[in-house]
Amino acid sequence: MVIVLYKQSVYNSYVKHGDDIFLWNSYSGAIAKIGNEEMKFLQDPNVASQSAVILLPIMIKNGFIVSSGTDEYADYVAMIERNYSDPIRKSLYYVIAPTLACNYKCVYCFENNRDIYDSMSQKTSEDVEKYILFNLSKTYGIKHLHINWFGGEPLLCPDTIQKLSTALITACQKQDIIYNASIVTNGRYLSQENAEMLSMHKVSKVQISFDGTENIYCERKRASSEDYHITLENIVTAADIIKNIVIRINIVQNNFDDAYRLAEILLNHYKLDGKISLYLAYTNEGSQEERVKNHLNFIQGEQKFIKLFGTKYNHNSYHYKSVNPKLSTCGLVRDDQFCIGPRGELYKCEHHFGIKNYIVGDIY
Ligand code: SF4
């Protein structure tokens, strides 16, 4: 008879909240409230008992307990490597920048001092279409194509988005492939017309970066007061057209009070509570040492912000972080997924857009 022994998963984390203890497995994503019985069992899952008979299959199913011979880390690495280059895949993902130009000049923009600021020509847009369709046809089993429109400011080129989307949507329909898209924009040109165009072309998620209330917004984005107010009005209009509008509030110098004021303006004054969601984002500025310190401060400030926010606004109005496992750092680590620049040049990260040294090839 073979006796199987068990051990706790290396991915288990215990979190104390008030008098309660929660167990979270960062690999399976399972989360459970742990009582005395469960705790006793987890400390030594190989001790036979009545409760062990009930708990063992549940704990195994949720990944809290694994057989003692399992090398979870090796399993994880193998899974990631398979994910990088598996020729059989269900989805393809591209980030497309129809332009690297922008109407703003944000002080923190990673696209300042780039080598390329072009917009995509009609000819390149047609070549991008051919490139993506070729990749769809040569990849076995594709069921889903996702495009993320990026920039510069992508809404400076609505015609490119419209034409390329139409071509890709038509091709996907013929091949029974589900098409959907998202866009990252500063929102200044998210007019009713553009919001309707995006919605018609299956853009189901719009992410807009905001830097704070008027003074901070104008200072950080080098924008005018008119830009600020038009962008706010655009968000209100777009919220009736596109369901998933996410506002990313960039936190600068721990100014959580201003983020809270912006939340009030959007959710209270403009009555968008429950219609849009927002989240706080850390901005990577300063020296390495400063970044580590600032990030820790950011996490603490964010927790306080969320607590306060939760007492006042709809649960859906905050884009809460998921406890689900993130099994890949980014979809673009796959060897067949790229960011496509306006000249048809390819990058492996959207933060590399416009830097010649980071170009890894082109669509040709
Ligand atoms: S809006 Fe975005 S792309 Fe434009 S300058 Fe600001 S950060 Fe850069």
Side-chain angles (χ1 to χ4, degrees):
M1 189 175 81
V2 181
I3 297 174
V4 182
L5 294 175
Y6 296 96
K7 62 182 179 183
Q8 282 204 57
S9 165
V10 294
Y11 296 105
N12 282 355
S13 289
Y14 291 87
V15 181
K16 201 163 172 357
H17 184 73
D19 290 337
D20 297 325
I21 295 177
F22 292 88
L23 173 59
W24 175 49
N25 187 278
S26 60
Y27 187 51
S28 70
I31 187 159
K33 193 166 145 187
I34 299 297
N36 290 341
E37 277 296 303
E38 290 85 5
M39 188 60 95
K40 214 165 122 196
F41 169 80
L42 284 157
Q43 274 159 2
D44 190 351
N46 297 306
V47 175
S49 72
Q50 231 176 354
S51 55
V53 176
I54 301 164
L55 287 173
L56 186 64
I58 300 170
M59 294 287 182
I60 291 175
K61 191 173 164 212
N62 287 285
F64 296 131
I65 293 291
V66 295
S67 60
S68 59
T70 307
D71 182 344
E72 290 178 277
Y73 180 65
D75 286 354
Y76 176 73
V77 171
M79 187 273 296
I80 292 291
E81 280 172 356
R82 261 196 322 274
N83 188 31
Y84 285 167
S85 53
D86 189 349
I88 301 172
R89 32 198 337 236
K90 291 203 166 61
S91 62
L92 271 182
Y93 169 65
Y94 296 100
V95 180
I96 303 178
T99 181
L100 290 179
C102 186
N103 51 306
Y104 289 149
K105 211 168 180 358
C106 304
V107 288
Y108 53 84
C109 180
F110 66 84
E111 295 191 6
N112 290 334
N113 309 318
R114 298 287 145 142
D115 305 311
I116 302 170
Y117 288 97
D118 302 7
S119 297
M120 198 175 274
S121 67
Q122 165 81 20
K123 161 85 173 63
T124 308
S125 161
E126 286 163 8
D127 293 340
V128 170
E129 175 197 334
K130 283 183 205 147
Y131 167 79
I132 295 177
L133 295 186
F134 173 72
N135 286 339
L136 283 178
S137 68
K138 74 168 193 190
T139 315
Y140 178 75
I142 288 288
K143 295 266 179 290
H144 186 195
L145 172 66
H146 185 93
I147 301 295
N148 187 20
W149 300 104
F150 204 85
E153 172 45 49
L155 285 176
L156 289 177
C157 298
D159 289 353
T160 309
I161 296 176
Q162 190 166 356
K163 282 186 192 140
L164 194 43
S165 300
T166 305
L168 294 174
I169 291 167
T170 309
C172 282
Q173 274 165 352
K174 281 188 193 148
Q175 297 175 55
D176 220 8
I177 293 171
I178 298 166
Y179 174 93
N180 68 4
S182 49
I183 188 168
V184 177
T185 168
N186 59 43
R188 174 62 177 80
Y189 297 108
L190 188 62
S191 58
Q192 180 169 349
E193 191 188 349
N194 277 340
E196 282 168 355
M197 179 279 287
L198 292 174
S199 170
M200 273 174 62
H201 293 87
K202 294 185 181 283
V203 174
S204 54
K205 179 182 171 190
V206 177
Q207 185 190 299
I208 301 167
S209 296
F210 235 87
D211 294 317
T213 55
E214 186 168 345
N215 286 346
I216 293 181
Y217 184 91
C218 294
E219 191 190 313
R220 302 277 297 165
K221 289 203 167 311
R222 297 174 177 141
S224 67
S225 169
E226 190 190 8
D227 290 327
Y228 170 78
H229 288 287
I230 290 178
T231 306
L232 283 175
E233 295 291 343
N234 283 347
I235 293 171
V236 177
T237 311
D240 284 332
I241 300 167
I242 299 172
K243 261 204 176 138
N244 193 357
I245 296 203
V246 181
I247 311 295
R248 173 193 156 114
I249 305 180
N250 294 321
I251 294 291
V252 183
Q253 289 165 356
N254 288 318
N255 199 344
F256 291 93
D257 290 346
D258 190 70
Y260 204 80
R261 279 195 291 277
L262 179 62
E264 292 229 316
I265 291 172
L266 287 164
L267 305 182
N268 232 342
H269 178 75
Y270 283 103
K271 301 190 174 26
L272 292 174
D273 192 17
K275 288 178 88 177
I276 61 169
S277 61
L278 48 89
Y279 74 99
L280 305 184
Y282 165 71
T283 47
N284 230 346
E285 291 175 277
S287 67
Q288 189 69 23
E289 261 177 26
E290 283 165 345
R291 288 178 190 199
V292 172
K293 199 168 138 242
N294 291 343
H295 193 246
L296 285 174
N297 290 337
F298 171 79
I299 290 169
Q300 284 163 2
E302 185 192 25
Q303 281 173 354
K304 279 190 204 145
F305 179 94
I306 289 173
K307 261 192 190 163
L308 191 61
F309 189 92
T311 59
K312 195 156 178 201
Y313 297 112
N314 189 310
H315 181 80
N316 295 329
S317 295
Y318 198 81
H319 201 67
Y320 290 98
K321 286 185 184 116
S322 164
V323 294
N324 289 333
K326 196 171 179 191
L327 297 180
S328 162
T329 46
C330 167
L332 290 163
V333 296
R334 279 211 50 123
D335 55 11
D336 53 359
Q337 310 203 120
F338 294 99
C339 297
I340 306 175
R343 298 177 182 175
E345 76 279 19
L346 300 176
Y347 308 85
K348 282 308 289 175
C349 176
E350 55 219 23
H351 293 268
H352 296 165
F353 267 131
I355 307 177
K356 279 190 175 161
N357 283 346
Y358 283 118
I359 295 174
V360 294
D362 61 54
I363 56 171
Y364 303 100

